[in-house]
Amino acid sequence: MREIAAMMPAQKLYQRIAEDIAAAIAEGRFAPGARLPSERDLAEEFAVSRPTIREAMIALEMRGLVEARKGSGIYVTQAPPSREDAEAELDVGAFELIEARTLFEGEAAALAAASIDAETLTELRHLLEVMEHDADAPEAVDADRRFHLAIAAATGNTLIRSAIETLWDVRERSPLCIRMFAQARREGVMPRVAEHRLILEALEAHEPQAAREAMRSHLRRVTTDLLDATRLELMKQAEADFDAQRSRVVARTGL
């Protein structure tokens, strides 16, 4: 499993890990029904973070290669499809996206704080009110995007704004990202108004370091929410599978 360095550099890190595990399954190192090592063990083996392993597991789950079992772990369900089909199904994951957003948007917030104008601050206050009114509404999700892009535009640098807008576009187009954020919404994870307010307050005070830290803190919290949401999703799927299997057994035995 360690021989991931020789794979194509254009691949995302979690993709390379997913492909390496899929190859191990195809080679018979993990047969159908076999339990995969724990997230912690895989993270140590590949020398990556647990969020990266989580993205790889979700990608493999989307391809139907693994499944979660209640109180037990992640198990192999079948041999992988052809490599061409596998690559078409993998895309950017939410954890990778947020890592990039933290880098770009943290610095963008700091830069914007130095020169943001009154008109943009008024716009940000309005968007915050939209998010505050009904965090579950589509308008609030759109306001969340517009809030972050308005800050990017306030830097006065078109390349920074374009880069951050591209990251948000990836969030809305990547199948893996869409799935992970949908899981988070099902678990009640919505735009965090209080954290956005702290960002706005730092911008109003024209304090670059405070704006940078407020943005980074917000995005770190999003990462934590996603970790919790995807873990709960795997647990719920395992419980549903267990209940379905139990129902079949009960029906066959007449108990």
Side-chain angles (χ1 to χ4, degrees):
M1 284 191 191
R2 292 180 179 276
E3 298 178 0
I4 61 175
M7 300 187 72
M8 294 188 298
Q11 276 190 313
K12 309 297 186 295
L13 181 57
Y14 86 89
Q15 288 178 319
R16 286 183 277 164
I17 292 171
E19 284 302 314
D20 210 43
I21 294 174
I25 294 172
E27 293 166 2
R29 293 171 59 189
F30 295 111
R35 181 182 183 278
L36 291 179
S38 68
E39 276 187 8
R40 185 185 300 277
D41 290 340
L42 287 171
E44 291 178 357
E45 181 170 350
F46 286 104
V48 297
S49 66
R50 293 182 69 179
T52 299
I53 295 298
R54 183 72 57 83
E55 286 178 336
M57 291 299 103
I58 292 174
L60 291 171
E61 183 187 23
M62 288 175 69
R63 288 162 54 182
L65 299 183
V66 302
E67 65 178 2
R69 295 184 185 174
K70 182 179 179 180
S72 184
I74 306 296
Y75 286 78
V76 176
T77 58
Q78 65 179 38
S82 68
R83 183 178 180 82
E84 290 77 12
D85 291 340
E87 288 181 350
E89 293 177 8
L90 293 175
D91 208 338
V92 175
F95 295 120
E96 182 182 16
L97 173 67
I98 295 172
E99 184 178 51
R101 284 185 59 200
T102 301
L103 176 65
F104 281 91
E105 294 197 46
E107 294 309 306
L111 187 59
S115 58
I116 195 167
D117 58 32
E119 183 180 355
T120 303
L121 288 171
T122 298
E123 179 187 3
L124 292 176
R125 292 186 196 102
H126 168 68
L127 293 171
L128 198 60
E129 289 175 359
V130 174
M131 284 187 275
E132 200 166 30
H133 178 67
D134 186 357
D136 194 21
E139 293 81 5
V141 176
D142 179 63
D144 186 16
R145 174 191 170 106
R146 290 167 58 196
F147 183 95
H148 287 266
L149 292 185
I151 294 173
T155 65
N157 187 309
T158 57
L159 290 177
I160 291 175
R161 188 195 186 286
S162 178
I164 292 174
E165 185 172 19
T166 296
L167 292 174
W168 276 84
D169 288 343
V170 167
R171 167 177 168 157
E172 295 170 3
R173 291 199 307 262
S174 163
L176 185 56
C177 256
I178 291 170
R179 179 186 177 108
M180 294 175 75
F181 279 108
Q183 289 176 356
R185 285 193 295 273
R186 284 195 294 272
E187 297 302 327
V189 177
M190 300 300 167
R192 291 178 167 272
V193 177
E195 293 168 12
H196 287 78
R197 189 173 299 284
L198 291 176
I199 297 169
L200 176 57
E201 289 173 357
L203 292 170
E204 289 173 329
H206 298 284
E207 296 180 357
Q209 181 56 34
R212 177 188 290 114
E213 184 50 39
M215 181 65 77
R216 289 179 174 176
S217 177
H218 163 58
L219 292 171
R220 284 195 295 266
R221 187 66 185 183
V222 173
T223 298
T224 299
D225 286 343
L226 280 169
L227 279 169
D228 290 342
T230 51
R231 177 181 58 83
L232 288 171
E233 178 75 9
L234 290 171
M235 289 173 62
K236 286 182 178 180
Q237 182 59 50
E239 289 175 355
D241 292 344
F242 176 81
D243 289 342
Q245 183 178 11
R246 183 177 184 278
S247 296
R248 288 193 296 269
V249 171
V250 168
R252 287 197 301 268
T253 59
L255 296 177

